[in-house]
Amino acid sequence: MKRAFYAGLLASGAAGAIMLAFRLGTAGITVPEVLVDVVTRMIPLRLFSDAVDILGPWAKRLLVVAATIALFLAGGLVAIGWRRLREHWPALRDNLQWPSTVLLGLVLWLLAVVIVLSASGRGLFDLGLNMSPVAAVPAWLVSSLAYSLTLTALIRKSELAPGKAPATAPEVSAGRRTFLKAAGWTAVGVVAAAAVGAAIWRAVSRLPAGLLPWPAESGMTSEVTPIETFFTVSKGFVDPRVDATTWKLEVKGLVEQPLSFNYQQIRDLPAVSQYLTLECISNSVGGDLMGTALWKGVRLQELLSRAGVRPTARKVVLRAFDGYSDSITVAKAMEQGTLLAYEMNGVPLPGKHGFPARLLVPDIYGMKNVKWLTGIEVVDYDYQGYWQERGWSDTARIQTMSRIDVPPLSGDYRVPEKATLSGVAFAGERGTSRVEVSTDDGNTWSRASIKESLSQYTWVLWVYDWRPPGEGTYTLAVRAADGTGEAQTDVETDSLPDGATGYHRVVVKLKAE
Ligand SMILES: Nc1nc2c(c(=O)[nH]1)N[C@H]1C(S)=C(S)[C@@H](COP(=O)(O)O)O[C@H]1N2
Ligand SMILES: [Mo]
């Protein structure tokens, strides 16, 4: 088993070397880096910043090295398991040797991609972030195959080695000798892992050494979010598939006349199109769980007045195909902007956004914009929905927010002559009256220009032309005021229960070269 462990360490070395080569060549990301990312997200921020204070740049460096060592050790353990499997199923040693080895590589690759990337909060394969782990996915495949192939080759060699396998009763001194040997080899493995980790770190830290160029003005967020990049949040792992030909929407409860509509009947009702920005209540300050689309559908008011809402009605309950439900007040349901939408940006509502029809409610977080709608029930009590039962706000009114999108990242930039800052601001249906930008961490503020919004229900884009005075570290911040003139609060709160608040900040270090 020890030999298997060493074989695993060696195989990890092969995989690590390949991953490193990819890292240097394509600027993809390595598993240790993503692991560190996951860990630093999981440990409390305060602890992490303490560690950074004490260890300085060493904190992250040590983490990368530690993660690499951990992965090498894991590689050793997997090797032991592989060796055992081969003993149990001789087929793995005989005719299926190489197919099973490739399979092992594929399984490890999938594990790495699924576990590591999803735990890092980047989601599976949906990697719309700045550093591109997309390049890493094939690199990881090659590395895991290198691991499994090396491993099998090494294990096979040791299995074939004559006289080694059936250990004869060892003498005491031989026991000590094997122990020393084991310790020695493990140390070699750990040192090798540390070297790979350090090399990865050097590769990482070398990247920004060539300073980032200030992003072009064209890097501005697009005012209408394309469907491909539109965020999605659903409680389930798999989205329900609803068949439009059998789908029915019931309108019932405290109404004069319960109604039922099929897909065609809904589409035949008077249609309206409106731009609306959707934001998830769990969006963090500066987060990207928001987007704007052109939605087409029928006013909820249209359906409800056809059915005739009784005077005792208090809330409208919305039920969905996936078992999800939520409610809005009758007043909200009767507003002009509350829509039962069946088209998004000119195409039928995509499955993940609620095909065949979903609700859109202005001024209220995404939560109450129920997708895959199947039932509308008018009730005379205060219905609590799926997320309300889990502690989230029932009013869920959108908090005034603003976000810096350019520059997208804190980091080191070549000092630009003119640096355009831009981003979005949103305040539900109250609209945005003002956006201000600070380049000195909130000591002084300047007015940004705002592009007129697409509708009263959308975000606005803002731009500010900054002329940096020179080299230095600048904390950029943004704040907005809603249509009533009320300023966005600088009080930092978590998203639970009412939506996150506080100013979004980006720290840039400007250097000449
Ligand atoms: N049926 C159903 N509707 C739902 C959800 C859900 O899980 N099931 N999630 C809600 C949440 S929390 C949000 S933020 C929005 C997201 O809409 P999107 O995925 O179209 O962006 O849908 C809402 N509607
Ligand atoms: Mo949400």
Side-chain angles (χ1 to χ4, degrees), residues 231-235 280 320 322 324 353 358 366 369 371-372:
F231 82 101
T232 105
V233 176
S234 306
K235 75 174 176 68
C280 181
D322 58 343
Y324 187 88
H353 295 295
R358 75 171 306 163
N369 294 240
K371 305 189 274 190
W372 310 292

Side-chain angles (χ1 to χ4, degrees), residues 69-263:
I69 294 178
L71 280 168
F72 269 59
L73 296 179
L77 295 180
V78 169
I80 294 180
W82 188 235
R83 171 83 196 255
R84 290 238 164 99
L85 274 183
R86 287 166 65 91
E87 275 166 12
H88 280 277
W89 287 301
L92 296 185
R93 268 189 308 202
D94 311 332
N95 37 357
L96 288 181
Q97 168 144 267
W98 298 112
S100 66
T101 298
V102 170
L103 191 68
L104 172 69
L106 288 177
V107 168
L108 292 175
W109 171 65
L110 269 180
L111 267 180
V113 172
V114 171
I115 298 180
V116 177
L117 284 186
S118 56
S120 71
R122 280 168 183 160
L124 294 188
F125 299 103
D126 168 32
L127 309 157
L129 81 166
N130 317 296
M131 212 175 354
S132 169
V134 174
V137 172
W140 291 12
L141 176 62
V142 179
S143 307
S144 37
L145 286 175
Y147 171 84
S148 66
L149 291 170
T150 313
L151 181 64
T152 296
L154 291 171
I155 288 186
R156 196 165 86 122
K157 223 176 110 203
S158 79
E159 281 165 352
L160 292 179
K164 294 263 168 155
T168 44
E171 304 153 35
V172 183
S173 61
R176 229 186 99 208
R177 214 166 38 226
T178 15
F179 171 77
L180 285 177
K181 227 166 104 187
W185 276 112
T186 307
V188 168
V190 168
V191 169
V196 173
I200 291 177
W201 170 257
R202 230 170 292 135
V204 180
S205 45
R206 222 182 41 201
L207 279 183
L211 298 172
L212 295 168
W214 196 266
E217 270 167 62
S218 56
M220 209 171 174
T221 297
S222 71
E223 196 168 17
V224 177
T225 315
I227 287 175
E228 303 79 66
T229 52
F230 204 100
F231 82 101
T232 105
V233 176
S234 306
K235 75 174 176 68
F237 283 106
V238 273
D239 293 336
R241 283 182 165 215
V242 184
D243 180 357
T245 56
T246 54
W247 176 78
K248 271 205 170 48
L249 180 66
E250 312 266 1
V251 181
K252 58 180 189 182
L254 296 173
V255 289
E256 306 299 337
Q257 175 70 55
L259 298 172
S260 171
F261 299 88
N262 66 27
Y263 189 54

Side-chain angles (χ1 to χ4, degrees), residues 230-236 239-240 278-282 289 291 295 319-325 344 349 352-354 358-360 365-373 386-387:
F230 204 100
F231 82 101
T232 105
V233 176
S234 306
K235 75 174 176 68
D239 293 336
L278 203 59
E279 182 183 5
C280 181
I281 194 166
S282 59
L289 294 181
W295 310 90
R319 294 200 174 81
F321 207 83
D322 58 343
Y324 187 88
S325 70
M344 179 179 187
L349 204 58
K352 56 185 181 170
H353 295 295
R358 75 171 306 163
L359 204 68
L360 288 172
Y365 281 114
M367 189 166 60
K368 288 176 178 274
N369 294 240
V370 177
K371 305 189 274 190
W372 310 292
L373 203 61
Y386 182 86
W387 289 117

